[in-house]
């Protein structure tokens, strides 16, 4: 049976040391990336001009920020000394009792995250905090130091593998873009002299369900809400509804249509996919999708989808958005009129075959990633549950 102790028995308030007129690297803290040099995060300094009131944080000290229920609390490992927001609380760690890496894991365990949520105070969502005495009452496991270090090393190794799998997926996505440019040139250019035309002449934008004679009462179709489409081109078509449930108030599409998220921030984040694996070959989904249907004999869906994933395409789309702040959308007219160079269909098919091969590699990496994420959750439960 592993001994548990209160967090307050292994940390103590650090002596407040203000920056004053001294010069230190400025540090930032994020939910996913922990504490880092602000210059690395933003490629420039975003700190206020007057940094005299900033707190000096030494390497190995614990910094508690907000919103704490999103895990914004980390050990400072980015610099020997740096300065951070005066609103953050800084703590010394008793390293004779607890390993700092192990403590950081304790503070991000599912049990700790649930504890934070149950103790939150305040009305401003991004500023809600926990009273100090409540935070210090958090119970954490405290095995002997060698065991702590072994646990931290094990979880760090799994975390590193997860990060590696994410990098592999990003590299495969980039490989597809590189191949696109090699074969067709950048979107919006006519590198190979095929001539320029409007995107709306190469595919049907938002086809009507009335044209699909397969749709009948009681027919089962795939239902695709916005969360079922990823920023990496993945689509979850497993949710099934009847045509009667979705025929009004949802967007219609079919197998091999291309989905393009039109609302901010989904559009800027890259949400979209080729609709594959639809039940009975038909889908309905969020009204925030535009649908691009390839024209037989002229365009391939994977070529169209790849075109829409390029940063410049998304930037151009964003500059043409309409609507109020927070509810801006890309109008269909942008897609209709966007100028492109259309390659021969055979080249598009060759590109699609290449994408299929890459997708097989991505599927293997994704399977490994899912295994590692499940393993990490299991280990976290085993060590901290």
């Amino acid at each position: 049976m592993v001994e548990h102790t209160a967090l307050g028995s292994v940390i103590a308030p650090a002596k407040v040391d203000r920056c004053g007129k001294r010069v230190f690297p400025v540090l930032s803290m994020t939910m996913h990336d922990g504490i880092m040099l602000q210059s690395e995060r933003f490629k420039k300094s975003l700190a206020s001009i007057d940094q005299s009131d900033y707190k000096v944080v030494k390497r190995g000290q614990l910094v508690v920020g907000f919103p704490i229920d999103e895990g914004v609390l980390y050990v400072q490992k980015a610099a020997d000394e740096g300065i951070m927001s005066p609103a953050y609380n800084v703590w010394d760690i008793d390293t004779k009792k607890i390993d700092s890496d192990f403590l950081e894991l304790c503070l991000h365990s599912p049990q700790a995250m649930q504890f934070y949520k149950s103790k939150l105070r305040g009305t401003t969502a991004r500023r809600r905090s926990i009273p100090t005495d409540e935070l210090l009452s958090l119970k954490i496991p405290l095995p002997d130091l060698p065991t702590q270090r072994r646990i931290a090393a094990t979880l760090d190794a799994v975390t590193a593998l997860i990060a590696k799998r994410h990098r592999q997926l990003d590299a495969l996505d980039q490989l597809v873009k590189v191949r696109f440019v090699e074969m067709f040139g950048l979107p919006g250019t006519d590198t190979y002299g095929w001539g320029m035309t409007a995107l709306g002449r190469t595919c049907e934008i938002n086809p009507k369900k009335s044209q699909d004679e397969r749709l009948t009462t009681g027919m089962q179709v795939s239902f695709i809400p916005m969360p079922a489409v990823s920023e990496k081109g993945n689509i979850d078509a497993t949710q099934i509804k009847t045509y009667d449930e979705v025929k009004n108030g949802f967007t219609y599409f079919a197998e091999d249509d291309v989905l393009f998220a039109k609302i901010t921030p989904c559009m800027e984040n890259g949400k979209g996919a080729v609709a594959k694996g639809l039940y009975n070959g038909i889908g309905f989904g969020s009204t925030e999708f535009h649908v691009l249907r390839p024209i037989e004999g002229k365009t391939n869906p994977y070529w169209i989808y790849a075109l829409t994933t390029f940063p410049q395409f998304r930037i151009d789309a964003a500059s043409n958005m309409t609507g109020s702040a927070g509810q801006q959308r890309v109008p269909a007219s942008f897609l209709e009129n966007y100028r492109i160079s259309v390659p021969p269909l055979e080249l598009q098919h060759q590109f699609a075959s290449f994408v299929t091969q890459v997708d097989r590699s991505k599927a293997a990496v994704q399977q490994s990633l899912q295994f590692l994420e499940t393993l990490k959750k299991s280990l976290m439960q085993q060590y901290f549950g």
Side-chain angles (χ1 to χ4, degrees):
M1 189 72 178
V2 176
E3 176 189 353
H4 282 66
T5 189
L7 177 62
S9 69
V10 296
I11 65 172
K15 180 181 178 180
V16 176
D17 183 9
R18 304 288 181 182
C19 177
K21 295 182 179 180
R22 295 173 292 172
V23 177
F24 295 96
V26 181
L27 305 176
S28 291
M29 181 163 56
T30 69
M31 172 173 51
H32 296 296
D33 298 321
I35 298 174
M36 65 182 70
L37 294 171
Q38 192 178 84
S39 58
E40 291 182 357
R41 182 185 178 197
F42 297 106
K43 307 306 178 186
K44 61 180 180 179
S45 177
L46 298 182
S48 62
I49 296 175
D50 181 8
Q51 299 171 358
S52 60
D53 199 38
Y54 276 46
K55 291 180 179 178
V56 178
V57 184
K58 296 180 175 62
R59 186 184 297 275
Q61 289 183 317
L62 173 67
V63 182
V64 178
F66 42 79
I68 193 171
D69 58 317
E70 293 183 6
V72 186
L73 64 169
Y74 283 95
V75 176
Q76 201 277 92
K77 307 170 189 174
D80 288 338
E81 289 184 315
I83 53 174
M84 299 187 72
S85 167
Y88 292 162
N89 292 319
V90 184
W91 301 82
D92 288 325
I93 300 170
D94 186 347
T95 54
K96 293 181 180 179
K97 293 182 179 178
I98 194 163
D99 177 78
S100 60
D101 291 335
F102 180 80
L103 173 61
E104 200 172 67
L105 289 166
C106 287
L107 297 177
H108 291 90
S109 69
Q111 293 74 18
M113 299 296 284
Q114 185 57 47
F115 176 86
Y116 306 147
K117 287 181 172 63
S118 69
K119 303 293 184 180
L120 282 175
R121 300 289 186 274
T123 56
T124 304
R126 303 300 296 178
R127 292 275 176 170
R128 290 186 301 172
S129 59
I130 299 175
T132 299
D133 60 337
E134 294 275 17
L135 176 63
L136 296 179
S137 71
L138 170 67
K139 294 291 186 180
I140 58 173
L142 195 67
D144 58 70
L145 278 170
T147 300
Q148 293 178 36
R149 294 179 183 124
R150 175 179 57 79
I151 289 172
T154 299
L155 284 165
D156 283 349
V158 175
T159 300
L161 284 173
I162 289 172
K164 182 179 180 180
R165 296 295 178 266
H166 281 294
R167 291 194 298 271
Q168 289 173 331
L169 290 174
D170 289 340
L172 288 169
D173 286 336
Q174 189 60 35
L175 180 62
V176 170
K177 286 185 171 62
V178 169
R179 185 60 174 156
F180 184 100
V181 174
E182 287 177 348
M183 294 183 70
F184 313 122
L186 286 167
T189 66
D190 188 20
T191 305
Y192 296 101
W194 294 314
M196 300 292 286
T197 189
L199 179 58
R201 295 177 65 86
T202 70
C203 58
E204 186 179 359
I205 309 296
N206 297 325
K208 306 297 183 183
K209 65 176 181 289
S210 58
Q211 300 171 358
D212 198 327
E213 297 179 352
R214 297 172 297 172
L215 291 169
T216 57
T217 297
M219 182 183 191
Q220 292 186 312
V221 298
S222 287
F223 181 69
I224 314 290
M226 186 64 74
V229 175
S230 78
E231 290 84 8
K232 299 292 187 181
N234 301 316
I235 185 169
D236 180 359
T238 57
Q239 188 174 351
I240 308 300
K241 291 184 179 291
T242 65
Y243 172 53
D244 306 81
E245 293 178 282
V246 298
K247 64 181 179 181
N248 295 317
F250 295 100
T251 298
Y252 153 79
F253 45 89
E255 191 83 2
D256 288 329
D257 285 349
V258 176
L259 303 182
F260 177 83
K262 62 184 177 183
I263 191 169
T264 190
C266 298
M267 190 284 294
E268 294 92 332
N269 291 342
K271 281 213 172 200
V274 177
K276 300 295 290 187
L278 303 181
Y279 197 84
N280 286 322
I282 296 174
F284 282 79
S286 170
T287 58
E288 302 300 350
F289 289 127
H290 280 313
V291 179
L292 296 83
R293 175 167 293 174
I295 296 175
E296 188 174 354
K298 183 174 287 189
T299 45
N300 182 289
Y302 288 97
W303 176 79
I304 294 173
Y305 169 67
L307 172 77
T308 68
T309 64
F310 273 80
Q312 190 59 53
F313 186 93
R314 299 276 169 165
I315 290 170
D316 292 341
S319 68
N320 283 271
M321 280 182 155
T322 60
S324 58
Q327 289 291 310
Q328 290 190 313
R329 295 173 174 84
V330 177
S333 60
F334 166 78
L335 299 176
E336 292 278 2
N337 299 321
Y338 194 81
R339 303 293 290 177
I340 59 169
S341 178
V342 184
L345 186 60
E346 180 56 34
L347 285 182
Q348 295 182 45
H349 289 335
Q350 289 179 22
F351 174 74
S353 296
F354 176 79
V355 172
T356 299
Q357 293 174 8
V358 172
D359 283 347
R360 291 195 188 102
S361 297
K362 286 174 65 177
V365 175
Q366 189 66 48
Q367 184 176 19
S368 173
L369 176 60
Q370 290 172 349
F371 168 79
L372 290 168
E373 288 176 339
T374 300
L375 174 62
K376 184 175 180 179
K377 289 179 181 177
S378 175
L379 290 173
M380 290 291 285
Q381 182 63 37
Q382 175 185 335
Y383 296 143
F384 305 109

